């Protein structure tokens, strides 16, 4: 059995703890990052705290193999004196929404082959999609994820605001949102692009701008220009 200690009480820590409790080949404990006086020994200590707290929390842990779950922090940002690694799951986590770890990519990194194999075994106990990703690659993935998730969700918010202002149910757009996400499983995002910007439909673009407030117009113009320039 592989012993795992999870440090943290946030969304990632909560979902990981629940998943590992159901795994056959691991035993898991979880503690708060505020309760680091007595730290249980474990084969792997997973720090699932906010990025700003990673350095401080890791500096207090003396266990032999310590990993963090951050997409934007490097392996070397861990300040423990023992072996270091990264156990990053590229997904958005909400505490009240059930997580299917078999569909989530695990991006792993370690300082040596034995530690990596251990991380891989642990990841496979709850997931199926395992990737060997170094710190620079992971940072790039994290930026890409901000575009496809955080920024896209913000655009949903703008779309919802426009619908509310014009008394149109936002739910009418949901099939379009779902189809857009499904389409890029078969086509590259570039080939899947549609709309007035890619068609250079200036009359439609001008009509759209007249319907928007100044902040919405600014975003619309930036995205239209980016689509038309191909980047």
């Amino acid at each position: 059995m592989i012993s795992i200690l999870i440090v943290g009480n946030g969304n990632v820590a909560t979902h990981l703890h629940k998943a590992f409790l159901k795994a056959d080949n691991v035993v898991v404990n979880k503690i708060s990052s505020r309760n680091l006086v007595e730290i249980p020994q474990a084969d792997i200590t997973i720090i699932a705290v906010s990025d700003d707290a990673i350095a401080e929390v890791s500096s207090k842990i003396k266990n032999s193999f310590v990993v963090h779950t951050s997409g934007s922090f490097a392996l070397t940002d861990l300040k423990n004196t023992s072996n270091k690694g990264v156990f990053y799951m590229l997904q958005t986590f909400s505490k009240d929404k059930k997580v299917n770890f078999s569909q989530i990519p695990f991006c792993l990194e370690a300082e040596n082959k034995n530690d990596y194999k251990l991380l891989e075994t642990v990841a496979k106990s709850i997931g199926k999609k395992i990737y060997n990703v170094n710190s620079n690659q992971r940072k790039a993935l994290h930026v890409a994820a901000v575009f496809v998730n955080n920024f896209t969700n913000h655009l949903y918010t703008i779309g919802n605001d426009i619908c509310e202002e014009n008394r149109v149910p936002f739910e009418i757009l949901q099939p379009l949102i779902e189809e857009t996400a499904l389409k890029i499983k078969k086509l590259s995002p570039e080939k899947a692009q549609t709309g007035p910007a890619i068609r250079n439909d200036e009359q439609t673009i001008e009509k759209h701008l007249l319907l928007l407030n100044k902040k919405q117009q600014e975003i619309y113009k930036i995205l239209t220009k980016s689509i038309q320039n191909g980047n």
Side-chain angles (χ1 to χ4, degrees):
M1 297 287 281
I2 300 171
S3 59
I4 299 172
L5 172 64
I6 298 173
V7 180
N9 277 331
N11 295 340
V12 173
T14 300
H15 285 297
L16 269 181
H17 185 237
K18 288 179 181 179
F20 283 133
L21 284 173
K22 298 176 183 178
D24 295 329
N25 60 335
V26 303
V27 57
V28 62
N29 286 316
K30 185 165 82 71
I31 62 173
S32 169
S33 59
R34 298 177 182 177
N35 186 25
L36 296 176
V37 178
E38 295 183 10
I39 302 172
Q41 288 295 312
D43 296 319
I44 300 177
T45 301
I46 301 175
I47 299 177
V49 299
S50 64
D51 288 356
D52 291 344
I54 289 173
E56 181 183 357
V57 171
S58 62
S59 69
K60 298 177 181 178
I61 297 175
K62 308 302 179 185
N63 288 354
S64 59
F65 186 27
V66 180
V67 303
H68 68 65
T69 60
S70 171
S72 59
F73 269 48
L75 179 149
T76 52
D77 288 318
L78 288 163
K79 299 305 177 185
N80 59 299
T81 56
S82 54
N83 291 4
K84 301 174 174 65
V86 180
F87 195 78
Y88 173 55
M89 294 143 290
L90 206 166
Q91 186 54 276
T92 176
F93 292 91
S94 300
K95 246 179 186 175
D96 298 326
K97 191 175 187 304
K98 190 175 180 181
V99 174
N100 181 2
F101 277 99
S102 67
Q103 297 300 312
I104 294 177
F106 286 78
C107 301
L108 310 179
E109 184 181 10
E111 292 178 310
N112 60 67
K113 290 182 179 180
N114 288 336
D115 285 345
Y116 182 85
K117 286 181 179 179
L118 183 58
L119 278 185
E120 191 175 45
T121 300
V122 168
K124 286 181 178 178
S125 72
I126 58 174
K128 296 179 180 178
K129 299 181 178 182
I130 316 299
Y131 299 88
N132 187 343
V133 177
N134 65 39
S135 290
N136 289 333
Q137 291 171 325
R138 190 174 58 258
K139 287 178 183 179
L141 269 175
H142 195 256
V143 173
V146 168
F147 274 91
V148 303
N149 175 247
N150 305 138
F151 290 170
T152 300
N153 191 72
H154 180 63
L155 295 179
Y156 293 160
T157 302
I158 294 173
N160 186 65
D161 290 344
I162 293 169
C163 286
E164 287 185 350
E165 290 167 8
N166 292 274
R167 298 180 182 180
V168 180
F170 179 70
E171 66 185 42
I172 295 176
L173 294 175
Q174 289 176 355
L176 175 63
I177 293 169
E178 292 172 5
E179 176 61 20
T180 304
L182 289 171
K183 189 184 293 185
I184 59 172
K185 289 186 176 182
K186 296 183 178 180
L187 298 173
S188 69
E190 183 180 3
K191 290 183 178 179
Q193 186 69 56
T194 62
I198 199 69
R199 294 193 303 265
N200 290 308
D201 191 342
E202 296 298 332
Q203 289 188 354
T204 300
I205 291 170
E206 289 302 318
K207 289 177 181 178
H208 285 174
L209 290 170
L210 291 173
L211 291 170
L212 305 176
N213 62 40
K214 288 184 178 180
K215 288 184 178 179
Q216 292 167 349
Q217 286 176 351
E218 184 178 355
I219 293 171
Y220 188 103
K221 288 177 180 178
I222 290 171
L223 292 176
T224 295
K225 185 176 181 180
S226 182
I227 291 170
Q228 290 176 339
N229 289 342
N231 53 43

